Amino acid sequence: MSNWKDRQVLIVGGGIGGLAAALALSRQGIAAHVIEQAPQFKEIGAGIQLGPNVFWMFDRLGLIEPISALAVFPNNLIMMDSIGGEEVTRIPLGEAFRRKFHHPYALIHRADLHQVLLDTCMKSDLIRLDAAQKVVKVEETADGIVAQTDTGKEYRGAALIGADGLWSTIRQMIVGDGKPNVAGHITYRAVLPTSEMPEQYRWRDMVLWAGEKVHLVHYPLRTGELFNLVAVFHSNRYEEGWDSYGDPAELHERFAKTCEPVRTLLNKIESWRMWVLCDRPPIKEWSRGRIALLGDAAHPMLQYLAQGAGMSIEDAVCLADKVVAMQGDYAAAFRAYQGARYLRTGRVQIMARVYGEFYHASGVAKELRNMMLGSRTPEEAMAGMEWLYGEQRELTRPAAAAAPAAAE
Ligand SMILES: Cc1cc2nc3c(=O)[nH]c(=O)nc-3n(C[C@H](O)[C@H](O)[C@H](O)COP(=O)(O)OP(=O)(O)OC[C@H]3O[C@@H](n4cnc5c(N)ncnc54)[C@H](O)[C@@H]3O)c2cc1C
C-alpha cells in the first residue's frame, strides 16, 4: 500500500509561485512535478520588494539564509513629492520595524529569488522539473488528473496547481472569466550599475517619487552593486503585453512636469523594458475538484503594494498545509485553501488599486495625501501596515492534520 504523498501533484508554471508550491509540498513530504512552458526555468525582470510577511514564509520553507545572503535590507521607505521635490514621509526599517514585524523588509533581484527557489527544488528528491512543455489540456479523472502539453506529452498526478501567471490557461478552464483588466498604467523598468547612479541619489532606501499620473521608484539591489529603477505612468495607448522595450521619448514626455532629480534619474537609462499593468477583481472560488490556482493565476494584482510574488509564496505554504490537514483529499484541501486565502489576497488586490491612485494624485487629493502621510509618526505608519506585514497565524502556526493518514 503506497502513501498518498507519493502520488505527485502537477504544477503548471515554474515562476516564483509554482516553484514555491513545489517546495512547500516537498517540505511536507509530498511529491511535485513542475511543468514550465519556457525553454528554461528562468526569471527576467528586475528588482522585487519583500515585506516581512514573506520572510515568515521563508522561515517555514527554510530559505531565510540563502535569501538574506542575496538581499539588500534598506534603511527606510521614503516617499518624495516628484513635483516639488520635498520629502513627504519616511518609515524607518530598523530595529523598531523588525521588532514589530519579527522580520525585515528586503530588496532582491527577481532572478536571484527565482534561482534560490530553483536550486532548493533541484536538491529535493521529491521534485521533478520539466521545461519546454506547455500545458494545453487538463482532464480530471475519477481519482486524479491528466495534463497534456502542446507536444502531446501526458502527465498524470493526484491533483494539479495552475501557477501559470496572469494569462493563465488553467484559470480559463476552471473560472473562464476571459482576459485580465488592462489598468491603463504602464511600467518601464531598468537596472543601473551603482557606478552610473548619481552619487547624491545612492540611497540605501526604497524611494518612491509620487507625481501626477506618474511615479518613479528606485532602490539598491545585489548587495548594492545595482540600482533598480521603475517608472510608471498612465496611458491607454497599449492594449496588453508583457516585457517589450519601452519608448524613452514617451517616458520623458509623461514625466515633463517632475522635478530635476527625477528627470536626472530618468535620463540615466537608455534602454527600458516595458510592462502593461493588468489585474482582475477578486474572486472567491479559484479551485474545482482536484485543480486549484495559485499566485497571479488566482489573484493578479497591480504592483503598488509590492506583494504579488509575496502572495504567491503565502499561497504555496497555505496550500501545502491544507493538503496535509486533509490527508490527501485534494478537493477538500483546495476548498479550504481558497477559503483561507481569498479575503487576504482580495484585500491586497483592492488596496493595490487604492495605492495606485494615491501615488498618482493631483490637486486637493495630492495635498491631502501629503498632509496625511506627512503627519504620521513611524509608529502610526507601522500600525497601518499590521494587516499586511503582521503574523498570519494560520500560515505560521498551522493546525496539525486532524485525521489518521489515508493510504491508497
Ligand atoms: C512591474 C512589476 C513590479 C512588481 N514588483 C513586485 C514586488 O516588488 N514584490 C512582489 O511581491 N511582487 C511584485 N510584482 C508581482 C510579481 O512579479 C508577480 O505577482 C509574480 O511574479 C507572480 O508569480 P507567479 O508564479 O504567480 O506567475 P509568473 O511569474 O507569471 O509565472 C508563471 C509561469 O507559468 C508559465 N506558464 C504559463 N502558461 C503555461 C502553460 N500553459 N504551461 C506551462 N507553463 C506555463 C510561465 O512561462 C511562467 O514561467 C511585480 C510585478 C510587476 C509587473
Side-chain angles (χ1 to χ4, degrees):
M1 252 204 296
S2 68
N3 189 318
W4 65 267
K5 292 184 173 183
D6 298 337
R7 274 190 81 199
Q8 65 181 7
V9 174
L10 305 177
I11 299 175
V12 181
I16 291 167
L19 294 183
L23 205 53
L25 289 168
S26 74
R27 294 290 196 226
Q28 308 257 23
I30 302 162
H33 198 149
V34 187
I35 309 160
E36 167 58 46
Q37 67 180 2
Q40 288 172 318
F41 283 83
K42 203 172 153 193
E43 266 283 342
I44 46 164
I48 201 160
Q49 302 176 52
L50 299 169
N53 58 309
V54 196
F55 276 81
W56 285 104
M57 301 303 101
F58 291 150
D59 197 16
R60 291 277 323 270
L61 297 173
L63 295 177
I64 290 208
E65 215 180 297
I67 295 288
S68 301
L70 298 166
V72 170
F73 297 99
N75 296 326
N76 301 284
L77 299 175
I78 298 178
M79 185 191 275
M80 307 288 292
D81 187 304
S82 81
I83 309 293
E86 73 279 10
E87 182 173 310
V88 176
T89 186
R90 152 183 312 245
I91 303 165
L93 299 172
E95 219 188 301
F97 183 91
R98 290 188 188 210
R99 211 177 322 113
K100 181 165 178 67
F101 298 119
H102 297 259
H103 289 292
Y105 197 96
L107 310 166
I108 193 165
H109 200 292
R110 184 181 286 264
D112 294 345
L113 169 58
H114 189 261
Q115 194 64 45
V116 167
L117 291 168
L118 185 61
D119 289 345
T120 318
C121 283
M122 285 165 76
K123 283 184 202 145
S124 169
D125 294 338
L126 291 172
I127 300 175
R128 292 167 70 192
L129 300 157
D130 279 9
Q133 296 294 338
K134 179 177 180 166
V135 173
V136 289
K137 196 169 161 209
V138 172
E139 203 185 322
E140 188 170 354
T141 62
D143 70 341
I145 292 285
V146 184
Q148 214 174 69
T149 70
D150 57 352
T151 58
K153 193 167 172 172
E154 264 187 17
Y155 291 86
R156 286 172 189 273
L160 181 140
I161 300 170
D164 51 344
L166 179 64
W167 303 97
S168 169
T169 303
I170 309 301
R171 185 179 177 112
Q172 291 324 307
M173 294 174 190
I174 65 171
V175 182
D177 54 354
K179 291 180 175 182
N181 298 323
V182 176
H185 298 189
I186 308 291
T187 291
Y188 280 31
R189 306 167 91 190
V191 174
L192 197 63
T194 295
S195 55
E196 290 175 29
M197 185 79 174
E199 241 177 295
Q200 66 273 34
Y201 305 120
R202 289 183 201 169
W203 303 344
R204 199 183 168 85
D205 299 308
M206 202 302 294
V207 186
L208 186 148
W209 297 81
E212 296 179 2
K213 296 189 176 175
V214 298
H215 78 267
L216 173 71
V217 167
H218 57 82
Y219 53 79
L221 282 179
R222 289 229 166 110
T223 59
E225 284 166 39
L226 301 173
F227 265 81
N228 189 53
L229 272 80
V230 185
V232 181
F233 59 88
H234 288 208
S235 172
N236 288 320
R237 268 177 44 191
Y238 306 92
E239 292 258 295
E240 63 189 53
W242 181 251
D243 188 34
S244 47
Y245 283 94
D247 170 10
E250 175 171 30
L251 188 65
H252 292 296
E253 188 190 312
R254 302 278 174 177
F255 279 79
K257 275 171 69 183
T258 59
C259 61
E260 186 272 331
V262 172
R263 282 180 288 114
T264 302
L265 289 170
L266 294 179
N267 273 326
K268 283 280 155 197
I269 310 285
E270 279 165 19
S271 170
W272 295 89
R273 290 190 96 104
M274 182 184 86
W275 274 260
V276 177
L277 298 182
C278 298
D279 72 349
R280 291 182 187 272
I283 55 169
K284 201 169 167 164
E285 287 177 9
W286 63 60
S287 78
R288 196 189 68 201
R290 292 169 177 264
I291 306 173
L293 303 177
L294 177 147
D296 277 5
H299 41 67
M301 53 188 63
L302 300 181
Q303 87 249 24
Y304 301 131
L305 283 178
Q307 281 288 340
M311 287 298 123
S312 75
I313 297 169
E314 286 190 2
D315 284 351
V317 170
C318 177
L319 183 145
D321 285 344
K322 297 299 181 198
V323 171
V324 171
M326 298 297 170
Q327 297 283 283
D329 177 345
Y330 282 97
F334 289 169
R335 279 195 304 275
Y337 149 70
Q338 74 186 7
R341 294 295 295 154
Y342 79 95
L343 284 177
R344 176 157 174 82
T345 54
R347 186 169 179 180
V348 182
Q349 283 172 290
I350 290 167
M351 290 310 291
R353 289 184 181 183
V354 172
Y355 272 72
E357 295 298 317
F358 223 45
Y359 296 154
H360 297 161
S362 55
V364 175
K366 173 187 138 166
E367 280 187 50
L368 195 58
R369 174 195 73 200
N370 290 2
M371 185 269 284
M372 282 167 59
L373 296 183
S375 59
R376 285 184 316 181
T377 63
E379 289 70 30
E380 286 166 342
M382 286 194 290
M385 296 167 160
E386 179 74 46
W387 71 274
L388 185 56
Y389 299 150
E391 181 178 5
Q392 307 292 306
R393 281 177 174 256
E394 191 163 14
L395 293 174
T396 56
R397 303 169 200 207
E408 294 186 336

